Amino acid sequence: MSLAHTTVLLWAWASLQAFEIVEKENIFLKTPCPAFLMFDNAAYLADMSFELPCHCKPEEVPAVVWYYQKHVGSSHTKVLTDFDGRVLTEAAQVRVGSDMLVRFSIRMFSLLVFRAQPEDSGLYFCGTRKGEYFYAYDVDIQSNEGMVATFKDMGQKPFADEYYGNLHVFTTFWEWTPCDRCGVRGEQWRIGLCYLQSPDLSPRYLRTQSDVVSCGSQAVPKRLRTTVRDHMPELLVQSCLVPCEKKNRFRESVLAIYNYVSKVGSKPWVPKVPIQFHQQRLGHGLIISCPGARPEHAVAWDKDHQHLYRTQYLKGVNRSMRVFIDHGNQLHIRFTQLSDRGIYYCWRQGVQIAGFRLSVTSRGHYPASLSDPETRAAVELTLISYLLITAIFVTVHLCRCCCYSFRFRPMFSP
């Protein structure tokens, strides 16, 4: 290649780089920062991950710092950065119940919070190290405890809107998820969060519609929060049927030949999806998570050839359920039995992606750990029983002492 060609290529590459940098800078030039700080309302369901973009930033500010306050004017403010560049947090490494300082990450000026909890509700500020704020959010994380499931195929309907004078309480539903299975009957659902409409809201909070915010917003006065406290999030479920995408027929033919030969015993069995093997002790609990799945994803579970539909296995359908699916798409097996042995397949967004081969054994030594729910329950039951026996013992002896003192009390004559 000649020197002229090389020079032209380098000039073109530099021009593209300069164009890319200008475009990134113009993102913030298009959105001027407000003169008076407003709060943008956003609502999510517990255990979800969300992103808060810093929509405006002065051009001379190279980096942003995120702050968190529980209430407006709170004296306690959390700084969500270490000022030197925090190590990126991956969603797969975050556990439920971790502190918010462990569950956040800052990427391209945006704040990411993983597995949000109701305690994370509050105000989030995008600003500088000096405490100058550019943009703010009013985040409402609604709990999934007590979430009401409505099954459309059974003729059930969502909650009706509630009216208390000028206060209007209702449920706003998200879009339908994709069908959680393909080729067979599946299910799809949509999440509904609590919202309200009232003319008494604080004007400092931004709203997509006039006088409408989520029920846990800071814009809602305290006297109205007690009224909307009993309006829970909803889950609307319905059946669906979609065809599977066409795959490589040659690969499917090879797998079919391998499976046929495996019946004869000459070749090993080749699964369609990766299979993870797990051995569980008899009588202990087990929680299975679908790889890469989030609560907002369409996730389904099968045991061998049995489909575990939410109509029968969703948490809360029956209080005595031993096997159920929670609102975070995890499969729970309480007090494992020998009949639970088999392969549990996981579907994500309509595609079967993984399997878990579960074997149950009554032998083997498993060290006790307080992280085990059964161990914690046994310890709590033991402590409660000990306290109850101690209370009965002390009460009986106090009664005996009182009876003895009254019976043998000395009689003084005048």
Side-chain angles (χ1 to χ4, degrees):
M1 181 180 293
S2 63
L3 181 60
H5 288 90
T6 305
T7 305
V8 170
L9 288 176
L10 290 175
W11 175 83
W13 180 81
S15 301
L16 290 176
Q17 291 294 106
F19 177 78
E20 182 181 2
I21 294 174
V22 170
E23 286 297 319
K24 289 183 178 179
E25 291 179 351
N26 285 338
I27 294 176
F28 298 100
L29 292 177
K30 292 179 181 178
T31 308
C33 293
F36 186 73
L37 189 64
M38 304 286 287
F39 297 97
D40 194 355
N41 179 238
Y44 304 95
L45 189 66
D47 291 333
M48 283 187 173
S49 301
F50 61 89
E51 178 182 359
L52 301 179
C54 189
H55 285 301
C56 72
K57 179 183 70 66
E59 186 178 358
E60 64 273 8
V61 177
V64 299
V65 178
W66 282 89
Y67 300 87
Y68 168 78
Q69 286 184 359
K70 191 65 177 178
H71 305 286
V72 177
S74 175
S75 58
H76 180 65
T77 303
K78 289 184 179 180
V79 183
L80 305 182
T81 183
D82 56 5
F83 298 108
D84 296 323
R86 183 174 179 84
V87 178
L88 297 183
T89 304
E90 297 297 335
Q93 301 175 357
V94 178
R95 295 184 178 181
V96 178
S98 303
D99 186 77
M100 185 179 64
L101 295 176
V102 183
R103 293 183 285 103
F104 85 93
S105 176
I106 298 178
R107 302 179 185 178
M108 292 298 296
F109 310 114
S110 298
L111 177 68
L112 280 74
V113 180
F114 304 103
R115 292 188 175 273
Q117 300 301 310
E119 296 78 18
D120 299 335
S121 299
L123 305 177
Y124 292 81
F125 302 87
C126 173
T128 64
R129 299 185 182 185
K130 298 180 181 180
E132 300 173 349
Y133 300 148
F134 311 132
Y135 205 84
Y137 287 91
D138 169 32
V139 178
D140 174 23
I141 309 298
Q142 301 187 11
S143 174
N144 54 21
E145 294 294 332
M147 189 174 184
V148 180
T150 303
F151 301 101
K152 195 173 181 179
D153 297 341
M154 297 182 179
Q156 300 177 359
K157 296 182 179 180
F159 285 150
D161 295 357
E162 303 175 17
Y163 293 89
Y164 305 94
N166 294 330
L167 177 63
H168 177 201
V169 185
F170 58 95
T171 301
T172 298
F173 286 94
W174 293 11
E175 295 293 332
W176 288 99
T177 64
C179 196
D180 58 5
R181 295 177 177 89
C182 69
V184 296
R185 185 179 73 87
E187 292 176 330
Q188 59 181 172
W189 56 90
R190 59 196 308 189
I191 297 173
L193 300 179
C194 177
Y195 277 78
L196 61 86
Q197 183 177 17
S198 174
D200 300 329
L201 302 177
S202 174
R204 193 175 180 182
Y205 296 82
L206 297 175
R207 299 175 288 273
T208 55
Q209 297 182 7
S210 177
D211 298 333
V212 175
V213 293
S214 60
C215 294
S217 170
Q218 300 288 328
V220 181
K222 292 183 179 180
R223 59 184 179 85
L224 298 181
R225 293 182 186 179
T226 56
T227 306
V228 302
R229 185 180 301 171
D230 297 332
H231 195 97
M232 298 296 178
E234 298 183 58
L235 184 69
L236 188 59
V237 184
Q238 70 176 8
S239 299
C240 58
L241 180 61
V242 296
C244 295
E245 296 181 358
K246 294 183 179 181
K247 299 181 180 179
N248 191 344
R249 293 187 176 182
F250 175 77
R251 183 176 181 274
E252 291 183 351
S253 302
V254 172
L255 290 177
I257 296 174
Y258 265 71
N259 290 333
Y260 175 78
V261 175
S262 66
K263 296 180 181 179
V264 183
S266 301
K267 291 290 183 180
W269 171 64
V270 179
K272 295 182 179 180
V273 295
I275 301 293
Q276 179 180 347
F277 295 86
H278 180 76
Q279 188 177 31
Q280 184 69 11
R281 189 177 180 183
L282 183 66
H284 282 230
L286 178 65
I287 302 177
I288 307 177
S289 300
C290 190
R294 298 196 298 267
E296 58 269 25
H297 284 168
V299 178
W301 292 93
D302 296 339
K303 180 189 176 184
D304 295 328
H305 300 289
Q306 177 188 1
H307 305 303
L308 306 181
Y309 291 111
R310 278 174 165 75
T311 311
Q312 300 174 346
Y313 290 93
L314 183 64
K315 179 182 179 181
V317 173
N318 188 352
R319 293 185 179 181
S320 61
M321 298 175 65
R322 192 181 59 84
V323 179
F324 61 90
I325 303 172
D326 64 12
H327 297 295
N329 297 323
Q330 294 178 324
L331 180 65
H332 294 246
I333 303 178
R334 301 177 58 189
F335 310 110
T336 310
Q337 300 178 0
L338 294 176
S339 58
D340 295 327
R341 291 179 294 187
I343 301 179
Y344 293 84
Y345 293 100
C346 167
W347 298 72
R348 187 186 67 195
Q349 300 292 89
V351 179
Q352 194 177 87
I353 61 170
F356 303 86
R357 188 162 195 164
L358 177 63
S359 62
V360 182
T361 178
S362 58
R363 299 180 181 180
H365 176 68
Y366 287 80
S369 175
L370 291 178
S371 61
D372 186 7
E374 281 73 18
T375 303
R376 290 199 302 268
V379 171
E380 291 177 0
L381 182 60
T382 303
L383 292 176
I384 293 174
S385 302
Y386 177 77
L387 293 176
L388 182 61
I389 293 174
T390 304
I392 294 174
F393 177 80
V394 173
T395 304
V396 169
H397 278 269
L398 285 176
C399 293
R400 291 185 63 184
C401 290
C402 292
C403 294
Y404 180 82
S405 62
F406 282 115
R407 181 180 301 178
F408 297 98
R409 185 175 57 182
M411 302 298 292
F412 297 97
S413 58

